[in-house]
Amino acid sequence: MEGLHPAPLRERDVTRHIAREFYKEFDQLIESDVIVVGGGPSGLVCASDLACHGFRTLLLEQSLALGGGFWSGGYLMNKATVCEPADDILKNLGVPCKPIQECAGMTIVDPPHATARLIASAYEAGAKVLNLTKVVDLILRADGVLEGVVVNNTTAEMAGHDVIHVDPVALESKIVVDATGHDAVIVELLNKRGVYQPVPGNGAMWVARSEAMVVENTREVFPNCFVTGLAVAAVDGSPRMGPAFGSMLLSGRRAADLVRRKLKGEDGAGCFS
Ligand code: 48H
């Protein structure tokens, strides 16, 4: 249309500016304060809080979409539960949380709405995101110091090395947060590299206990490696909770607080077990 654009829009310009912006940003992401692996609810809250505090925070997600398991409430039902006080995290982002009269403290949320707001909040706080990026290994020194992760493009990894042999690349950080949910991928990799015990996987469902255990046991499990969300239950063999998401949000917040204290060198932070 005449007058819409000063010069006719060229395809090469679209490509050029996408490439320039991506690689300019990627250059900055090679070195971060914190890498959060996994863009589910716990990882999103953790990344958002850390970025809010001014830490260079990179969120890595193997899927195209961020949000992990928080797009639905289980069994393909589009409602999920969030118990107090975690509902405050969502309410502060403008997500409606409907109280349930029969169950004191329980609220119901629309998962896509909550997830969209968590994603927006992480971006608005300044967290950087690489999606379709799968963590496949760790940077681990002989003295047992974790210094970052090794990543590859998810689609190349999915094809398998026999079909597409693309070497991965490394991204450095002071801290790595395992927010990979059921599989506790980072802790599994520590185990594969012989520096951590086997990961038992989460225990059977017991919602009355599981949520508190995940939040309480959010911690530094290995020097410079923190674990949050369902990955905590996987590392401890503690019970799962089904589509109850409050502890994912609270655990993400607690992990960010522990990381912040460690990076600031505050007392009591960073006692791994
Ligand atoms: C990059 C990776 C890699 C990798 C995995 O599963 P999530 O939503 O995790 P949480 O802990 O934030 O939330 C758990 C919750 O969604 C849930 O499943 C609950 C409460 N279940 C209870 C029950 O009883 O089952 O998100 C983890 C994210 C996902 O987006 C993965 O794609 C991503 O981590 N991820 N990203 N590199 N190697 N592995």
Side-chain angles (χ1 to χ4, degrees):
M1 241 199 303
E2 287 288 325
L4 190 65
H5 197 268
L9 191 61
R10 297 283 315 202
E11 288 75 6
R12 65 185 177 213
D13 294 326
V14 174
T15 308
R16 180 172 290 133
H17 290 290
I18 288 174
R20 274 187 195 163
E21 285 301 312
F22 178 80
Y23 286 105
K24 194 168 75 183
E25 183 167 281
F26 188 73
D27 188 59
Q28 305 293 310
L29 306 184
I30 292 168
E31 215 181 328
S32 306
D33 293 320
V34 186
I35 290 177
V36 177
V37 186
S42 65
L44 286 168
V45 171
C46 183
S48 175
D49 282 9
L50 286 164
C52 249
H53 278 96
F55 295 109
R56 293 169 304 159
T57 306
L58 172 60
L59 180 66
L60 300 176
E61 170 54 53
Q62 66 181 0
S63 301
L64 186 58
L66 300 173
F70 201 19
W71 288 108
S72 109
Y75 199 68
L76 296 185
M77 294 182 290
N78 220 5
K79 299 282 178 190
T81 63
V82 171
C83 285
E84 290 173 354
D87 56 328
D88 280 344
I89 295 177
L90 295 180
K91 283 182 192 157
N92 287 337
L93 298 175
V95 180
C97 300
K98 181 181 164 191
I100 302 300
Q101 300 303 335
E102 309 89 286
C103 298
M106 182 193 281
T107 73
I108 292 282
V109 302
D110 290 312
H113 192 172
T115 301
R117 286 288 163 92
L118 290 174
I119 295 168
S121 148
Y123 271 95
E124 283 156 18
K128 300 296 178 194
V129 174
L130 287 173
N131 59 344
L132 277 183
T133 300
K134 185 180 171 79
V135 173
V136 295
D137 212 335
L138 307 172
I139 307 173
L140 202 53
R141 306 297 181 207
D143 51 2
V145 176
L146 180 63
E147 292 193 3
V149 297
V150 176
V151 299
N152 211 343
N153 175 276
T154 302
T155 50
E157 281 293 319
M158 282 168 74
H161 290 197
D162 292 346
V163 182
I164 301 180
H165 186 144
V166 179
D167 275 348
V169 295
L171 303 172
E172 293 192 13
S173 63
K174 297 172 186 157
I175 300 287
V176 176
V177 178
D178 188 341
T180 60
H182 290 267
D183 296 329
V185 170
I186 303 304
V187 183
E188 280 283 10
L189 285 168
L190 289 170
N191 171 254
K192 181 179 169 190
R193 296 298 173 207
V195 295
Y196 200 83
Q197 66 254 31
V199 173
N202 58 252
M205 201 177 289
W206 190 355
V207 72
R209 296 199 63 182
S210 56
E211 291 222 271
M213 288 179 85
V214 159
V215 181
E216 275 163 30
N217 296 328
T218 298
R219 65 190 184 283
E220 186 175 27
V221 288
F222 184 81
N224 302 339
C225 179
F226 290 72
V227 67
T228 184
L230 199 65
V232 175
V235 168
D236 293 344
S238 65
R240 66 193 299 176
M241 65 293 295
F245 286 89
S247 53
M248 302 300 113
L249 308 176
L250 294 174
S251 170
R253 178 141 291 173
R254 184 165 154 79
D257 193 49
L258 293 171
V259 169
R260 179 186 62 76
R261 287 168 51 205
K262 172 150 188 173
L263 288 174
K264 296 259 180 210
E266 290 178 16
D267 285 350
C271 309
F272 61 91
S273 57

